[in-house]
Amino acid sequence: MEMTLTTHQWVRSRPVSGWWRLWASTQVRWGVILLVAMTVLVVIGPFVAPYDPAAPVGKPYAEPSAVAWLGTDNLGRDVLSRVLSGGVYLAWMAPVSALLSVVIGAAVALVTAYYRGWTDLVLMRSLDVLLAFPGILLTLLCVSVFGPQPILLVGLVVLTLMPGVARVIRGAAIPLLDREYVLWAKAVGTPGPVIILRELLPNVSSPLLVELGLRLSWSVGILSSMSFIGYGIQPPAADWGLMVSENGTGLGTQPYAVLAPILMIILYTIGGGLIAEGAARVMARTEGKA
Amino acid sequence: MTMVLKASGLTVERADGAPIIEDVSLGLDRGEVMGIVGESGSGKSTLALALLAYARRGVRIAGGSVRVADTNMLELDTATLRKARREVVAYVAQDPGAALNPMLTLGTLLTEGLAGSKAEKVVRAREILRKVGLPDDEAFLQRRPRQLSGGQQQRIAIAMAVIAKPKLIILDEPTTGLDVSTRAKVLDLIRQLCISDDLTAIYVSHDLAVIANVADHVTVMYGGQVVEQGTMQEVLATPRHPYTRALLNAVPSLQARQTLRPIRGRVPAVGEAPNGCIFSDRCDHAIEACNTRPALRLVGGTQVRCVRPELAEAFEVRPQAVGHSDRQVANNSAVLQADGVNAFYGHRQILFDVSLQVEPGRCLAVVGESGSGKSTLSRCLIGLHGNLTGALSLDGKPLPLTVDQRDRNARQRLQYIFQNPNASLNPRRTIGQSLAAALANRPEACGNRSGAIIAEAFERVGISPHLAMRYPAELSGGQRQRVAIARALVANPAVLLCDEVTSSLDVSVQASVIELLRSLLADGLGMLFVTHDLAVVRNIADTVAVLSAGRVIEQGDVYKVLSAPSHPYTQSLLANTLQLPTEAIDVPTIARRQSAAGSR
Amino acid sequence: MTVDSQNDNATIGIFARLQPLLARLLQGGLTLLAVSLLIFLAARALPGDVANMILGQSATQEQLDLLRVQLGLDQPLWWQYLIWLGGILRGDWGTSLSNGQPVADLLALGVRNSATLSGVALAVMLPLSLLVGVIAAQLRDGFVDKVFLGMSMVANAVPDFVTGTVLVALFATTVLHVLPAVSFIPPGDSPFSYPDALVLPATTVIIPGVMYLARLVRVAVIDVMATEYIQTAELKGLSPSRILFRHALPNAVAPIIPAASLVAAFTVGGVVVVEYLFAYPGVGSALVDAVTNRDLPVIQANVLVIASAYFIFNLIADSFAQRDEAAGQRQSKA
């Protein structure tokens, strides 16, 4: 009754487990590479910046020159130095917020989906309340009350994004509860936490990565938007979102002061977008097969 | 005799050039029914679609010709092809629930594409509804497919196909998803239509018994090739290709308990077929000459693709009957017992006062159609269905009703095997890890011995332990089901609860699983086997409980119940179960066809 | 499910269908109440004393106390909340602290402008995404489809103000100079009188919306086209247009409707940033201004309006999603 596969078949048809399967996606790989490159750039940026990002080096809105490669901004500061220094906050705040929202959201989703009952009801209903409140308003209100502290901003972004993650992961987990392998685990008396970690979690790895990529983009979006409308990182600190709003009036004369930080934000968000896209495609492929 | 269908050299390829079906030729006269039989992966559905000049996405018809009446299907421009599909060839899909657009009314579904005024169309629709045995009032025409039962949906699909009076109708597994009684009625309808409308039909099925009951001719497909083709009687009486023979040997019979001979190995994937005879890698009689691909040749009235068809004379056709169970109950004590079980979904009662017992070394089959509550019953026993009353006992001690109240011993002693092998194993774990996880619930067996126990379980179910590193997706359906059984064995159980474990498997694979389960019974395991298939019951069970609408209506020794059923429901179930004719001459095909049979 | 049992289910069905809707509405009312409380508390917690702000630094303690009593600031917090809530319900939204105008009047202007912006954006977005999605699905895996997928990935990842700024650079300031970079609409004038001022803000909202929705349309159409009933329709010899419009689209649109409502909600929520970017005189920019000026009544009113609109679209999305879920369950049982 033994079947023998040739080595060729063996290698080709071998489905790789969990995260490796996702890493095999070109988009996921490029997304991760892009994010790592951006992070490295942001971390070493302040050290390689030619000037002090807060000090004027010429007249306002000077065109790019040998002195200031990307020209100067509204206060005559070097745009290149400010772009290189302007991602520090984003570089830790966005990943931390995204990671926290996904971890907390997934935990809430899996636990409530598995145990059901009244905790499920209470938790999901309170998440609904949070979802019913546009994130940017909540952030705006709280920041105007407590001031733009980074920890507060991270907390608010998590609060804004987490309910959505919970909803999606819960939606992915609930059909799994009727799968035979989960029923089997229940039937032999496997403890709930073990079922959640060993049976459910590995099978929502694709939607989890989709969420992580998506929420990373959105964290960058919310945080830089807050800076842009003046309730995030405060001047004179260098920050991409802030730079866009500071130099908006000079867009006609010195576009680099706006376009350079915008390019950085785009690259950063695309990193997350690529991961989400790649993971979603892996998910569609595997589901199509099943 | 006018030839309605003439297909020759039909080849369908994947985009990379790997053939899905290769060099298939069919011919069919007016009023005849051709059965196309094959297991999954044989290319039978691809063939059915190719006859309509249709290929699924990523697949193309690479060569050959299909002539239906005077239409050359493969050489039409798109507009004419659409017209031909409306008027010349029609198609009925397997799952009517999926094949009928849920957003459209039955009236629209039946009459769209027809020529004529609205009033004429309604008249036609009513006429066809009466013909297929459905109500023909306006209200019914306004219904949507989801408001019908499965049998009614399939009647609509058939009506949709025949309303334009096509020359040829292609039925792709039209009765596969239906209960036996519904299936019998739909088959009756198809036979009736064949006679009354003189329909020419292609009937595709994996089920030889169904084909034997409707078809005049049969084409046996394997790995995308025709391996045998001939009249129904001829092929059934003297199957000449080893595959046809093996297939017949694997079909369980309702009449007697037999040794079932599984076919070893698995159906080759597209593009990975052996170079010589397509069946050579699984054939018990393969010789050197089988390494070159044989052509179809005419042997004694049938076309056979085998270098030595004369072997047919040397082997007996049907497997030997094995004596009925002589396993007497040693101490007559039930290992698992249920008394007066009532189960509910919300306020709806699913099971009524069900009592049964499972004895060691014996198998109790629970038989019922869909909706009879048989799956609920097995879930009640394993403790996954919370909403029930009654009493359970295991080894004479009371057994709590839900799994979280049971102790570890009880959970280990009762093991469950699921219907769907594709979902019964965690896809993100290797099968070895799945077995190890099962062992983790048995602390006394952990540690040094765990490896040995796992290897032993794999050996027991006929899976080589070196496959332990593989993921479920790398295994065939039959292998997955064996792994699921191995996972149950690891727990050292007293009772196996098997829920339709063979119903999603091909017949040759089913045979191997049944043989495996029989050997486990011989080891002294008690077994509860839930199924809808009476032939499987005959081949595995010692006692049987017939479940209808949540009640056990008949219970007793398999031999007695299946030979002399006392309850009318059991009688009708038996009467509706299709069988391969034991004597090929008795094929209950449509009498009128006897004259046409010899014409090929 | 048999034919006969269908009719019995119909009467029960009405209750079964109404009950979750009522529950939703009740839950929605409670949510809005919670939101209003949150807004009230947040606004109260804003740093700076209101009386101080109105009267300026030179005011004496007596004057301040008197004003506090007039404004009801000496009452307990819960009482102030009830008074405020009662005022909201009667249409008395208070007066702006920065310019003394009735909040209701300011709000009416803002709401009209914002509703116009969102309405125009949605009116373009919905049909456009259907069109783009169907085209991408038809050209599946082709060049156009791949370009679309790439663009939609970028447009969905990038924040609104970035899209908007790029549009401004392209059409207003740097490359072309055909549209205004700032949407100046005098108070009291209809935004429709200044169509060119509407174009860039609306486009900024439309692009990510279309890219998101069209993607869903594409997947839904592809999924539906792969179903057996579409295959059956093809094998019945129906024309491609009939298959697309009668057989595929009605089934494909169903899963998109909740997403469309959700996008509508996001559009309303995202209005803050877009309006700020273009200095478009709507509720969003009014809110940012009010927060800067610590103008409590205006903050409260604007937040409440945006949250309610957001909430209503969410509610619509939810009830559609639930209906689909229920339909799916019925289907799987049948």
Side-chain angles (χ1 to χ4, degrees):
Chain A
M1 194 42 48
E2 192 39 50
M3 62 139 216
T4 44
L5 281 171
T6 63
T7 326
H8 165 71
Q9 287 171 310
W10 165 258
V11 171
R12 198 168 57 84
S13 64
R14 188 147 179 78
V16 207
S17 166
W19 301 101
W20 282 108
R21 201 172 40 101
L22 294 165
W23 177 248
S25 149
T26 328
Q27 277 118 336
V28 171
R29 244 183 335 227
W30 277 110
V32 171
I33 290 171
L34 188 57
L35 283 178
V36 169
M38 288 300 291
T39 310
V40 169
L41 185 73
V42 159
V43 169
I44 63 164
F47 301 103
V48 299
Y51 301 101
D52 175 2
V57 295
K59 59 181 189 352
Y61 292 137
E63 304 242 321
S65 64
V67 181
W69 290 355
L70 289 175
T72 61
D73 71 354
N74 61 334
L75 298 178
R77 296 168 294 193
D78 178 39
V79 170
L80 179 65
S81 304
R82 284 182 73 75
V83 165
L84 284 173
S85 319
V88 214
Y89 287 101
L90 219 51
W92 74 263
M93 283 164 72
V96 167
S97 334
L99 214 60
L100 280 178
S101 351
V102 170
V103 168
I104 299 173
V108 168
L110 293 179
V111 169
T112 56
Y114 183 78
Y115 287 106
R116 298 292 174 99
W118 65 270
T119 35
D120 176 35
L121 208 70
V122 170
L123 261 170
M124 289 322 283
R125 284 294 161 264
S126 29
L127 290 189
D128 279 353
V129 172
L130 272 179
L131 263 180
F133 203 76
I136 197 111
L137 284 195
L138 185 72
T139 319
L140 195 60
L141 270 182
C142 291
V143 168
S144 61
V145 174
F146 301 106
Q149 296 141 8
I151 299 286
L152 177 71
L153 281 170
V154 168
L156 288 168
V157 174
V158 172
L159 215 55
T160 309
L161 297 182
M162 186 269 286
V165 178
R167 250 196 189 188
V168 172
I169 299 300
R170 189 182 143 87
I174 280 180
L176 296 182
L177 294 175
D178 289 332
R179 290 284 155 82
E180 283 83 346
Y181 56 86
V182 177
L183 290 178
W184 176 83
K186 279 188 191 171
V188 297
T190 315
V194 177
I195 294 185
I196 290 174
L197 284 177
R198 301 295 302 274
E199 313 286 347
L200 297 184
L201 186 63
N203 286 293
V204 294
S205 58
S206 303
L208 264 183
L209 194 63
V210 172
E211 286 307 303
L212 189 63
L214 208 62
R215 305 296 160 173
L216 183 62
S217 292
W218 290 5
S219 299
V220 173
I222 298 180
L223 289 168
S224 56
S225 297
M226 287 308 292
S227 292
F228 173 72
I229 59 176
Y231 289 92
I233 306 307
Q234 296 298 306
D239 181 86
W240 297 333
L242 197 58
M243 286 176 74
V244 176
S245 91
E246 282 170 348
N247 303 316
T249 48
L251 193 55
T253 47
Q254 217 297 67
Y256 301 98
V258 172
L259 297 185
I262 274 194
L263 183 70
M264 300 303 272
I265 294 173
I266 291 179
L267 285 177
Y268 213 139
T269 48
I270 285 180
L274 278 171
I275 293 179
E277 172 102 6
R281 285 197 191 179
V282 170
M283 197 160 77
R285 258 207 308 278
T286 41
E287 272 174 8
K289 260 184 205 159
Chain B
M1 276 299 149
T2 46
M3 191 163 259
V4 172
L5 169 68
K6 174 97 187 104
S8 52
L10 198 55
T11 297
V12 178
E13 287 179 353
R14 233 167 36 183
D16 62 1
I20 298 170
I21 61 168
E22 214 177 340
D23 189 25
V24 175
S25 300
L26 301 169
L28 207 51
D29 286 337
R30 186 170 159 76
E32 288 184 325
V33 177
M34 161 79 81
I36 295 179
V37 69
E39 296 184 281
S40 48
S42 63
K44 56 188 189 302
S45 288
T46 307
L47 170 61
L49 291 173
L51 295 176
L52 290 123
Y54 183 90
R56 291 210 167 92
R57 207 180 151 76
V59 164
R60 64 187 187 93
I61 300 173
S65 68
V66 178
R67 254 190 111 70
V68 183
D70 300 322
T71 318
N72 206 334
M73 292 296 290
L74 299 186
E75 284 166 20
L76 303 175
D77 59 73
T78 46
T80 336
L81 178 60
R82 282 207 295 273
K83 190 166 148 63
R85 284 178 184 163
R86 283 199 299 272
E87 293 164 6
V88 181
V89 204
Y91 178 82
V92 176
Q94 171 175 353
D95 178 4
L100 299 176
N101 193 326
M103 302 288 267
L104 300 179
T105 62
L106 301 183
T108 311
L109 283 169
L110 286 171
T111 56
E112 64 181 343
L114 289 183
S117 72
K118 198 164 180 197
E120 283 168 12
K121 284 182 178 180
V122 171
V123 171
R124 291 278 293 279
R126 292 200 165 148
E127 193 183 319
I128 205 82
L129 282 174
R130 281 195 296 276
K131 200 172 216 167
V132 298
L134 289 173
D136 66 343
D137 53 300
E138 186 55 33
F140 192 76
L141 283 173
Q142 289 308 315
R143 281 176 191 258
R144 283 165 218 274
R146 287 206 182 131
Q147 295 168 287
L148 306 183
S149 69
Q152 289 175 318
Q153 287 176 341
Q154 196 56 288
R155 278 165 198 268
I156 289 291
I158 292 170
M160 221 162 81
V162 297
I163 193 166
K165 297 198 181 0
K167 304 271 189 295
L168 173 70
I169 168 168
I170 292 165
L171 302 132
D172 189 356
E173 303 248 17
T175 57
T176 300
L178 305 175
D179 275 328
V180 278
S181 50
T182 322
R183 178 168 73 186
K185 285 181 198 136
V186 172
L187 273 177
D188 269 346
L189 169 68
I190 292 170
R191 273 199 223 108
Q192 248 174 48
L193 286 172
C194 284
I195 297 172
S196 65
D197 290 26
D198 211 14
L199 267 183
T200 312
I202 298 271
Y203 195 106
V204 178
S205 179
H206 69 285
D207 190 340
L208 269 168
V210 170
I211 298 268
N213 276 274
V214 291
D216 311 295
H217 301 277
V218 63
T219 298
V220 182
M221 300 275 298
Y222 177 80
Q225 296 181 3
V226 173
V227 293
E228 188 158 359
Q229 196 171 52
T231 63
M232 197 71 229
Q233 288 92 335
E234 189 70 37
V235 172
L236 282 187
T238 39
R240 290 192 164 78
H241 195 281
Y243 174 70
T244 317
R245 224 156 39 224
L247 204 57
L248 285 167
N249 283 346
V251 179
S253 157
L254 188 55
Q255 265 71 41
R257 184 187 281 246
Q258 296 162 322
T259 33
L260 301 177
R261 295 220 199 93
I263 307 175
R264 65 191 163 85
R266 77 204 253 187
V267 177
V270 172
E272 286 166 6
N275 287 324
C277 167
I278 187 105
F279 190 58
S280 58
D281 60 335
R282 300 174 73 190
C283 183
D284 290 329
H285 313 295
I287 51 169
E288 192 61 33
C290 297
N291 289 334
T292 48
R293 179 158 299 179
L296 269 183
R297 57 186 173 124
L298 194 63
V299 183
T302 54
Q303 302 268 352
V304 187
R305 196 186 288 275
C306 181
V307 287
R308 34 187 213 159
E310 65 282 356
L311 275 178
E313 320 297 335
F315 296 92
E316 87 272 33
V317 175
R318 297 296 296 167
Q320 278 176 326
V322 292
H324 195 266
S325 173
D326 47 3
R327 294 190 293 271
Q328 287 308 315
V329 195
N331 47 9
N332 204 17
S333 66
V335 58
L336 175 68
Q337 191 156 359
D339 280 308
V341 169
N342 293 292
F344 307 84
Y345 263 113
H347 294 295
R348 203 154 63 94
Q349 189 163 1
I350 305 292
L351 292 177
F352 300 84
D353 193 29
V354 173
S355 300
L356 41 81
Q357 55 180 23
V358 180
E359 291 149 5
R362 285 168 68 88
C363 173
L364 166 69
V366 174
V367 183
E369 296 188 286
S370 58
S372 63
K374 58 185 192 300
S375 286
T376 308
L377 173 59
S378 60
R379 298 218 167 169
C380 285
L381 295 177
I382 195 69
L384 288 175
H385 188 92
N387 197 352
L388 76 159
T389 61
L392 302 177
S393 71
L394 181 71
D395 297 325
K397 290 184 292 256
L399 180 68
L401 294 180
T402 59
V403 72
D404 28 272
Q405 295 162 1
R406 293 180 183 175
D407 60 13
R408 171 176 289 138
N409 179 50
R411 289 170 186 158
Q412 299 287 308
R413 301 274 285 163
L414 276 182
Q415 288 284 318
Y416 197 96
I417 300 165
F418 294 90
Q419 169 174 7
N420 180 1
N422 302 331
S424 64
L425 300 170
N426 188 335
R428 300 276 169 267
R429 273 188 189 165
T430 64
I431 57 173
Q433 287 169 341
S434 281
L435 259 63
L439 208 55
N441 295 312
R442 242 181 98 189
E444 83 280 2
C446 277
N448 302 337
R449 283 187 51 227
S450 62
I453 292 176
I454 290 171
E456 193 187 317
F458 274 132
E459 297 278 10
R460 184 70 192 80
V461 299
I463 298 279
S464 160
H466 75 249
L467 296 184
M469 294 291 290
R470 296 203 181 174
Y471 289 92
E474 291 172 297
L475 304 179
S476 67
Q479 284 178 317
R480 276 177 230 160
Q481 204 58 293
R482 285 159 178 283
V483 173
I485 294 172
R487 181 177 58 180
L489 292 181
V490 152
N492 195 17
V495 178
L496 283 186
L497 303 171
C498 304
D499 186 2
E500 297 257 20
V501 289
T502 59
S503 61
S504 62
L505 303 175
D506 274 325
V507 61
S508 65
V509 182
Q510 165 178 293
S512 73
V513 172
I514 289 177
E515 286 292 333
L516 170 63
L517 292 177
R518 277 185 191 167
S519 73
L520 294 176
L521 281 171
D523 288 356
L525 233 64
M527 194 176 291
L528 181 110
F529 194 96
V530 174
T531 184
H532 65 277
D533 189 336
L534 286 175
V536 171
V537 169
R538 165 69 95 186
N539 274 274
I540 190 155
D542 302 290
T543 49
V544 60
V546 182
L547 206 58
S548 171
R551 289 190 166 84
V552 174
I553 50 147
E554 186 160 5
Q555 191 167 15
D557 201 63
V558 163
Y559 184 73
K560 285 185 201 129
V561 173
L562 294 192
S563 318
S566 59
H567 196 278
Y569 177 78
T570 321
Q571 287 162 2
S572 78
L573 213 55
L574 268 165
N576 285 326
T577 300
L578 297 175
Q579 273 293 290
L580 275 176
T582 37
E583 302 272 310
I585 318 304
D586 295 346
V587 180
T589 185
I590 305 152
R592 185 186 56 80
R593 298 272 171 67
Q594 299 295 352
S595 59
S599 66
R600 289 200 71 244
Chain C
M1 201 190 306
T2 65
V3 182
D4 310 297
S5 72
Q6 195 64 29
N7 296 331
D8 306 335
N9 288 344
T11 38
I12 311 164
I14 293 171
F15 284 106
R17 249 172 278 161
L18 269 182
Q19 203 193 354
L21 186 72
L22 286 177
R24 281 264 136 189
L25 278 176
L26 191 70
Q27 188 199 333
L30 287 175
T31 310
L32 274 186
L33 213 60
V35 167
S36 72
L37 184 63
L38 195 69
I39 293 165
F40 177 79
L41 291 178
R44 280 304 125 116
L46 277 179
D49 184 89
V50 179
N52 241 333
M53 226 182 294
I54 294 174
L55 296 176
Q57 294 302 315
S58 56
T60 63
Q61 192 59 42
E62 286 77 29
Q63 286 174 311
L64 287 173
D65 289 343
L66 189 65
L67 187 68
R68 287 205 182 100
V69 172
Q70 280 173 354
L71 290 173
L73 294 178
D74 57 334
Q75 303 288 328
L77 211 55
W78 62 270
W79 183 248
Q80 290 185 35
Y81 170 67
L82 286 183
I83 297 280
W84 172 73
L85 198 65
I88 297 280
L89 291 177
R90 288 196 312 274
D92 171 17
W93 297 63
T95 42
S96 162
L97 299 184
S98 57
N99 60 11
Q101 285 183 320
V103 175
D105 294 358
L106 294 171
L107 200 62
L109 283 179
V111 165
R112 189 182 68 177
N113 289 345
S114 292
T116 310
L117 177 58
S118 305
V120 167
L122 287 173
V124 177
M125 194 191 295
L126 297 180
L128 191 62
S129 41
L130 204 60
L131 185 70
V132 173
V134 168
I135 291 174
Q138 297 286 313
L139 303 174
R140 178 184 177 189
D141 295 337
F143 178 71
V144 174
D145 184 36
K146 283 188 177 143
V147 169
F148 162 71
L149 284 179
M151 276 167 55
S152 91
M153 190 271 289
V154 176
N156 280 318
V158 162
D160 283 352
F161 80 92
V162 167
T163 317
T165 310
V166 170
L167 285 175
V168 169
L170 284 179
F171 297 106
T173 57
T174 317
V175 182
L176 299 171
H177 301 269
V178 289
L179 289 165
V182 170
S183 307
F184 177 72
I185 297 168
D189 281 13
S190 161
F192 285 119
S193 318
Y194 303 85
D196 53 345
L198 211 52
V199 173
L200 282 184
T203 313
T204 308
V205 178
I206 289 168
I207 288 178
V210 167
M211 287 302 174
Y212 175 76
L213 272 184
R215 208 182 167 107
L216 295 183
V217 173
R218 172 187 177 273
V219 170
V221 170
I222 287 177
D223 282 352
V224 169
M225 285 312 236
T227 57
E228 280 192 41
Y229 54 81
I230 295 298
Q231 182 184 313
T232 304
E234 285 178 53
L235 292 174
K236 272 166 90 177
L238 301 179
S239 68
S241 61
R242 185 175 174 91
I243 290 175
L244 182 63
F245 290 110
R246 280 305 300 272
H247 285 252
L249 279 188
N251 285 292
V253 165
I256 297 161
I257 291 173
S261 320
L262 213 59
V263 166
F266 279 139
T267 305
V268 174
V271 97
V272 175
V273 175
V274 175
E275 288 183 359
Y276 176 83
L277 170 66
F278 291 98
Y280 183 91
V283 282
S285 52
L287 177 63
V288 178
D289 288 347
V291 171
T292 316
N293 299 335
R294 309 240 177 281
D295 195 342
L296 276 184
V298 180
I299 295 179
Q300 290 169 336
N302 281 306
V303 170
L304 202 58
V305 163
I306 298 178
S308 309
Y310 188 83
F311 169 77
I312 287 167
F313 283 116
N314 255 321
L315 184 73
I316 296 174
D318 269 2
S319 44
F320 273 114
Q322 272 190 343
R323 205 191 61 171
D324 282 5
E325 217 167 87
Q329 275 165 3
R330 274 204 301 281
Q331 182 191 350
S332 63
K333 269 184 199 153

